[in-house]
Amino acid sequence: MGDRVRFESVARGVVTKFNYYRTTPGRLFGTHPALWWDRQCTIGASAILAAFALSAIMWIIQVRRVALLDGQLTVLQVRAAAEEPAADRATRLSANIARLRRQRDELVAARRETVEQTNKIALIGNRLPRQTWLSALRAGTARWSLTGRSARLTELGMLLRTLHEIDPKSDAHLVSATADTRHERMVEFVISWDRSL
Amino acid sequence: MNAAKRITLVTGVVMLGGYFLVFRPAEATIAERSLDIERQTDLIERRTTAARGGPALEREQRKLRNELTHVHLRGDRAVLVDGFLIAAAAAAAQRDIHITQVAANASTAIQRRATAPAQPSLAPATFDEVALDLNLRGTYADILGIVRDLTRSTTAARISIDSLTRYDRRVNERTQVTALIHATLLREHDEIPPVRPRPT
């Protein structure tokens, strides 16, 4: 009969038939139904319960952590919302200041450019050689053109040097020098003053 | 498979289930919240810093506005041109200069924009520009003087001398020159109210 069924029970006729199909826990854990709740099974069940309990504890801890973080986040969102109007105002002010600065800088630059240009024209006029006169001056963005008359050709060289002294980065060169048909011994000249160097 | 192995298997399945169904999703949520908290903290810090600088910014704005009070940057284009012409006429009368011609010249502004250093395409021009050409006649010194006067006038303008040419006739025994002057009047852009598209 083996160790699973008592011989006396079979001999007395108490046991007449055997159920050879094992119950679900028995099938699961490889134990006979009658002896299902044995030591091994206890350990197994305990292990599974422990696993479930561990998972449950883990779940509680995680839920608690998430709740804590949610709380922190809500507090921060409220603070951020409270700071928003002042920050927006500061942003608008910054943008306005940048615009005003651009305007001021552009105006200052425009004035400086005009003063520089008029100063240069005045300097040319002031430092013209004694017997040299300008009849026209064209002030382009990068290149100026000076037209005039001079009594002596050598004075044109002096004028070219003067232009270089006024703006050392520039390049002044004689475009043409022709005898004036109306006045003897006078030279009509055209000088190009390249200021883009 | 014996009982011990099956127990181990079931326990393992429960543990793995717990890990994948409880621990992992919760950790992902926690990581997400932590990132949100970090972002919010940064945002608060930035906003607090910006808000703290408010009074200093207000002072700066007031200072800049004071610096720009002497020029009229707001107003209609016609008003701007009118103001400039009044200033030019007054300066010309003071210096005995004749304004012989005034003409609107759009090409000056276009030319200036073409020669200006490249700006980022999205950066708007600081000013709305109105270009004018003025022909003047007077002495050399007076022409330079009026240009400087107009630069200092209440109408903001970018002024440059395009050409100076000797005038053949002498007036009051003084040599006269004719000058072509480019004046680019500057004004603030008009505020354009945004038009909301009709919902479709």
Side-chain angles (χ1 to χ4, degrees):
Chain A
M1 288 289 111
D3 59 348
R4 301 280 175 183
V5 182
R6 289 183 192 145
F7 178 75
E8 294 83 16
S9 305
V10 179
R12 268 191 270 131
V14 176
V15 177
T16 53
K17 46 186 180 182
F18 294 97
N19 179 9
Y20 292 102
Y21 296 101
R22 287 184 286 188
T23 57
T24 303
R27 279 206 302 277
L28 191 62
F29 301 111
T31 55
H32 192 273
L35 300 171
W36 177 69
W37 203 252
D38 62 0
R39 200 169 62 87
Q40 215 174 25
C41 193
T42 309
I43 293 167
S46 305
I48 292 160
L49 279 174
F52 272 115
L54 198 65
S55 297
I57 290 164
M58 202 158 64
W59 181 73
I60 289 164
I61 290 169
Q62 296 293 65
V63 165
R64 182 81 190 129
R65 280 177 71 193
V66 170
L68 271 172
L69 290 174
D70 276 342
Q72 271 184 35
L73 187 62
T74 310
V75 169
L76 289 173
Q77 278 168 341
V78 168
R79 266 188 65 192
E83 296 279 356
E84 195 177 3
D88 280 354
R89 191 163 182 283
T91 310
R92 277 198 303 278
L93 275 172
S94 297
N96 203 25
I97 285 168
R99 184 178 59 83
L100 290 170
R101 269 200 194 127
R102 270 203 313 276
Q103 289 181 349
R104 183 200 57 188
D105 293 349
E106 205 158 303
L107 285 177
V108 167
R111 283 178 179 174
R112 195 175 48 235
E113 274 174 32
T114 308
V115 172
E116 277 176 3
Q117 195 199 29
T118 51
N119 280 353
K120 280 204 174 97
I121 293 170
L123 274 174
I124 292 169
N126 294 347
R127 294 172 69 176
L128 274 178
R130 293 174 72 83
Q131 292 186 7
T132 302
W133 299 269
L134 283 182
S135 54
L137 184 149
R138 294 197 189 289
T141 316
R143 181 173 292 168
W144 286 20
S145 159
L146 287 80
T147 310
R149 284 185 296 154
S150 179
R152 290 156 66 181
L153 204 57
T154 51
E155 287 193 347
L156 295 182
M158 284 169 64
L159 179 57
L160 290 173
R161 269 201 305 280
T162 304
L163 291 174
H164 187 68
E165 279 167 20
I166 289 170
D167 187 354
K169 287 180 183 170
S170 68
D171 176 34
H173 58 271
L174 189 66
V175 176
S176 70
T178 52
D180 191 345
T181 49
R182 289 174 294 178
H183 303 90
E184 265 185 52
R185 295 161 69 182
M186 287 291 249
V187 176
E188 273 190 340
F189 66 86
V190 178
I191 287 173
S192 173
W193 193 23
D194 198 342
R195 299 171 60 246
S196 62
L197 296 173
Chain B
M1 191 184 282
N2 64 18
K5 278 184 181 171
R6 283 179 187 169
I7 287 165
T8 312
L9 181 72
V10 173
T11 311
V13 166
V14 171
M15 290 298 285
L16 278 172
Y19 177 76
F20 283 109
L21 297 174
V22 177
F23 188 77
R24 281 277 296 267
E27 277 301 308
T29 312
I30 286 166
E32 204 177 291
R33 293 288 188 283
S34 301
L35 201 66
D36 286 347
I37 284 171
E38 209 172 295
R39 279 194 203 124
Q40 286 295 324
T41 312
D42 281 352
L43 185 69
I44 288 169
E45 204 171 305
R46 267 186 281 121
R47 284 181 176 174
T48 312
T49 313
R52 216 178 287 141
L57 290 171
E58 271 173 21
R59 277 196 300 278
E60 176 81 15
Q61 182 178 252
R62 221 174 298 131
K63 191 181 141 205
L64 284 164
R65 282 211 170 123
N66 284 339
E67 282 180 36
L68 293 167
T69 42
H70 62 280
V71 283
H72 301 310
L73 292 170
R74 294 186 178 202
D76 201 61
R77 280 172 154 238
V79 173
L80 186 75
V81 173
D82 188 40
F84 179 75
L85 291 180
I86 288 169
Q94 247 184 359
R95 292 183 177 273
D96 198 19
I97 283 178
H98 295 273
I99 300 175
T100 53
Q101 195 183 3
V102 179
N105 183 4
S107 67
T108 310
I110 292 163
Q111 188 188 350
R112 186 175 170 87
R113 260 184 235 121
T115 53
Q119 285 188 336
S121 57
L122 290 174
T126 314
F127 293 113
D128 179 24
E129 300 182 349
V130 183
L132 289 177
D133 279 353
L134 278 86
N135 282 80
L136 309 176
R137 196 181 71 228
T139 63
Y140 179 69
D142 282 340
I143 295 285
L144 295 186
I146 197 175
V147 169
R148 287 171 183 163
D149 287 349
L150 290 175
T151 308
R152 285 191 293 267
S153 79
T154 53
T155 308
R158 200 183 286 127
I159 298 169
S160 65
I161 298 172
D162 183 69
S163 69
L164 288 169
T165 312
R166 196 183 177 94
Y167 188 59
D168 285 339
R169 279 184 292 163
R170 290 166 78 89
V171 178
N172 299 331
E173 295 302 311
R174 294 167 78 191
T175 308
Q176 301 260 304
V177 292
T178 56
L180 173 62
I181 288 169
H182 290 313
T184 309
L185 313 186
L186 309 170
R187 64 187 276 273
E188 276 190 357
H189 289 279
D190 292 324
E191 294 269 333
I192 302 168
V195 177
R196 285 170 186 270
R198 194 172 54 192
T200 50

